[in-house]
Amino acid sequence: MSNITLNDSAWEKIFDKYSIIDCIHKNGFFEITSEQINEFREARLMTKFDHKSNLPKLFQENKLTILPLTRGSYVIGPFAAYHKIEQLNNDIIKISFPSHIQSIDYENITSEAAAINTAFVAGILADFIEDDTILPTVSGRMSSTEFNFNIKNVINNRYVPLKIVNSQIEIDGGYEGKSALTLLEAKNSISDDFLIRQLYYPYRLWKSKLRKDVRPVFLIYSNGVFSLFEYAFEDTYFYNSLKLVKQKNYTIEPERIKFEEIYRIFRSVSIVPEPEIPFPQADSFKRIINLCELLYENQILTNDEITSNYDFDARQTNYYTDACRYLGLVDKRRAEGAVNYFLSDRGRGLFKLSIKERNLKLTEWILEHKPFYLTFKRFLELGKMPNKTEVTEIMKKSALYNVRSEETYKRRASTIVGWLNWIMDLQRL
């Protein structure tokens, strides 16, 4: 299967036509207009890379990124444009939801807007910001106005000066209290990094307008957990001066899962035949749930759309969609030369359940597969997770589909350990 996306192909032609690599070697960066990009593919689709893994191959191979300068122009260069998301702490704060609110189904949040509204109504934002006077004030698309800043060159570590003039920005949510305006950038997809511009451009706009502090906050929502990160730009004029101030996780009082409930599923589950689908190589079960959430919101996504819009490279897209198919959550079909993914009846049914019921049902569907069941059984016997060598031996006795080499068994063993750790972590919610 080719890992070349439509963006890869179009950017290769653009780089060739304008000798972009040579220009960057000579000048340090290359400015390009929407009209030049549109000649090959719509600029809107060619310039939105929320995560480093989304960048076209030519960008990744040459350590390049792209940023908007105006409403119709961009700059390409070896810039440190992304920030790696810090490790989540293990604590989860439980928040009650107002009983009189009926228009928000907090058990079934499938959009960033719904996640923000829920976080505000439940008091999550007020608790995190430590200000119960906050009110929603600004959101949506607006102009950045004009400002200058420096950005780090990742090749020589020097600062590159850039000027922004009326670039379009979008604010997911702005909440003003007595002492500060908090600007939210929200994602309902789990990722390893984010584009600093999504916090920095709005920060610069409102920093120039207000006498109050401006507090950038990044919010990630998935499977009932709101993870919030507050950042500060230590130097207003330096794009890369982003520092984490604090991080907290919240959930809206779900009924707690007890070990006895997990054990009851283990005791009653019926083993199913292994499907003729590649055995999963997808260690993060949270990302499997998140991919189902994204498909529930979008209904159908092509392989290319998943790769281009979420924090997956082409290989991860294949791994995680196959993992969803292995559990019967996702189906695929080919249409008009593209592979389309969509939720199966089983996958859609998950979103009719409460979060607790959903997680218990996923636990059942994991443990009904022999290698997971036997590894969990061994875990109970040992009182700890068996090592990968022992997991590999269990896998060899489980008649896995099309797994033959020792190295493949070892890689897949990480998935079993990862999924079973997810099951045990459910007791913390």
Side-chain angles (χ1 to χ4, degrees):
M1 180 182 294
S2 174
N3 288 333
I4 300 296
T5 68
L6 295 175
N7 277 345
D8 287 330
S9 178
W11 274 114
E12 284 179 2
K13 295 172 184 176
I14 294 172
F15 270 59
D16 183 59
K17 178 174 181 177
Y18 295 104
S19 302
I20 289 177
I21 298 297
D22 290 340
C23 290
I24 291 174
H25 285 161
K26 181 179 179 181
N27 303 316
F29 56 82
F30 180 83
E31 293 188 25
I32 190 167
T33 66
S34 298
E35 288 77 10
Q36 290 172 310
I37 298 171
N38 285 336
E39 181 184 346
F40 298 89
R41 194 169 188 241
E42 190 178 349
R44 178 181 61 85
L45 302 174
M46 290 276 283
T47 57
K48 185 180 184 299
F49 308 116
D50 288 350
H51 311 288
K52 190 181 292 187
S53 64
N54 302 148
L55 288 166
K57 287 194 171 184
L58 269 175
F59 283 74
Q60 295 189 31
E61 290 168 357
N62 293 279
K63 299 183 179 179
L64 302 176
T65 56
I66 184 168
L67 293 170
L69 294 175
T70 70
R71 285 186 181 270
S73 67
Y74 304 84
V75 60
I76 299 171
F79 305 132
Y82 296 87
H83 180 80
K84 185 174 177 60
I85 295 175
E86 290 79 4
Q87 183 76 30
L88 292 176
N89 66 59
N90 291 325
D91 297 328
I92 298 180
I93 301 167
K94 293 178 173 59
I95 297 286
S96 61
F97 193 80
S99 60
H100 66 281
I101 298 295
Q102 298 180 8
S103 56
I104 291 178
D105 180 6
Y106 66 83
E107 295 273 19
N108 194 15
I109 297 171
T110 57
S111 72
E112 291 154 3
I116 291 174
N117 288 338
T118 304
F120 175 67
V121 170
I124 290 171
L125 294 182
D127 183 85
F128 183 73
I129 296 167
E130 299 179 42
D131 185 349
D132 59 9
T133 70
I134 59 168
L135 292 171
T137 55
V138 295
S139 65
R141 294 179 180 176
M142 56 195 73
S143 171
S144 69
T145 66
E146 184 176 321
F147 61 88
N148 299 293
F149 67 92
N150 292 319
I151 189 170
K152 184 179 179 181
N153 180 313
V154 298
I155 294 177
N156 59 25
N157 289 326
R158 295 176 181 173
Y159 295 165
V160 180
L162 295 177
K163 182 176 183 178
I164 307 302
V165 181
N166 296 326
S167 174
Q168 181 174 283
I169 65 174
E170 185 162 2
I171 296 173
D172 291 335
Y175 294 84
E176 187 170 350
K178 289 181 179 180
S179 61
L181 171 67
T182 297
L183 299 177
L184 280 182
E185 174 65 24
K187 299 293 182 187
N188 63 343
S189 58
I190 296 172
S191 56
D192 294 327
D193 60 26
F194 64 86
L195 183 59
I196 299 173
R197 172 181 64 79
Q198 294 173 322
L199 292 181
Y200 185 68
Y201 283 21
Y203 166 80
R204 286 299 306 272
L205 169 65
W206 287 100
K207 182 73 173 174
S208 69
K209 289 177 176 287
L210 304 180
R211 293 187 299 274
K212 296 180 177 181
D213 289 339
V214 178
R215 299 170 63 177
V217 172
F218 191 74
L219 183 156
I220 301 173
Y221 173 83
S222 180
N223 199 36
V225 178
F226 300 79
S227 296
L228 289 88
F229 305 74
E230 181 182 352
Y231 292 95
F233 288 97
E234 296 186 321
D235 181 343
T236 299
Y237 302 97
F238 183 30
Y239 179 99
N240 302 104
S241 65
L242 191 69
K243 300 295 181 184
L244 182 67
V245 175
K246 63 178 175 179
Q247 193 278 311
K248 291 184 178 181
N249 310 303
Y250 296 84
T251 189
I252 298 174
E253 290 194 305
E255 189 181 351
R256 188 170 183 176
I257 291 176
K258 300 175 182 177
F259 176 75
E260 291 77 12
E261 294 172 289
I262 296 172
Y263 185 71
R264 193 179 305 127
I265 290 172
F266 167 74
R267 294 284 294 174
S268 62
V269 74
S270 298
I271 302 299
V272 299
E274 283 294 291
E276 293 187 358
I277 293 171
F279 189 82
Q281 184 172 333
D283 296 353
S284 172
F285 198 77
K286 289 181 179 179
R287 285 203 167 193
I288 289 169
I289 298 171
N290 192 220
L291 181 53
C292 290
E293 291 173 327
L294 297 171
L295 286 169
Y296 185 75
E297 180 184 1
N298 294 279
Q299 296 188 349
I300 294 177
L301 290 171
T302 66
N303 191 293
D304 197 30
E305 286 171 336
I306 295 172
T307 302
S308 299
N309 292 289
Y310 305 109
D311 193 9
F312 288 114
D313 59 31
R315 184 174 296 177
Q316 286 177 310
T317 295
N318 293 332
Y319 289 159
Y320 277 88
T321 52
D322 279 347
C324 290
R325 291 173 58 232
Y326 175 85
L327 292 173
L329 302 172
V330 168
D331 288 327
K332 70 175 183 177
R333 60 170 173 259
R334 182 172 288 275
E336 300 180 354
V339 177
N340 294 303
Y341 294 96
F342 54 94
L343 289 179
S344 64
D345 291 342
R346 171 183 273 197
R348 285 193 299 273
L350 275 179
F351 294 94
K352 297 177 183 178
L353 304 175
S354 69
I355 290 173
K356 176 180 179 178
E357 292 170 333
R358 185 184 309 170
N359 287 333
L360 288 175
K361 183 56 70 174
L362 287 167
T363 297
E364 176 186 336
W365 291 339
I366 292 171
L367 293 180
E368 68 184 10
H369 290 272
K370 188 175 181 179
F372 293 92
Y373 176 87
L374 292 179
T375 304
F376 190 75
K377 180 181 179 183
R378 186 61 179 151
F379 164 78
L380 295 176
E381 292 169 349
L382 294 173
K384 63 179 182 179
M385 196 64 66
N387 61 42
K388 289 185 180 179
T389 300
E390 192 167 358
V391 175
T392 297
E393 292 306 310
I394 291 171
M395 294 169 68
K396 290 177 179 178
K397 300 173 184 176
S398 301
L400 304 187
Y401 173 72
N402 202 27
V403 178
R404 296 184 179 87
S405 75
E406 189 71 21
E407 188 59 35
T408 302
Y409 275 113
K410 289 179 180 178
R411 289 199 301 269
R412 302 306 196 266
S414 295
T415 293
I416 293 180
V417 172
W419 291 17
L420 295 185
N421 280 330
W422 174 82
I423 290 175
M424 296 307 297
D425 285 344
L426 292 174
Q427 301 168 83
R428 291 194 299 107
L429 293 179

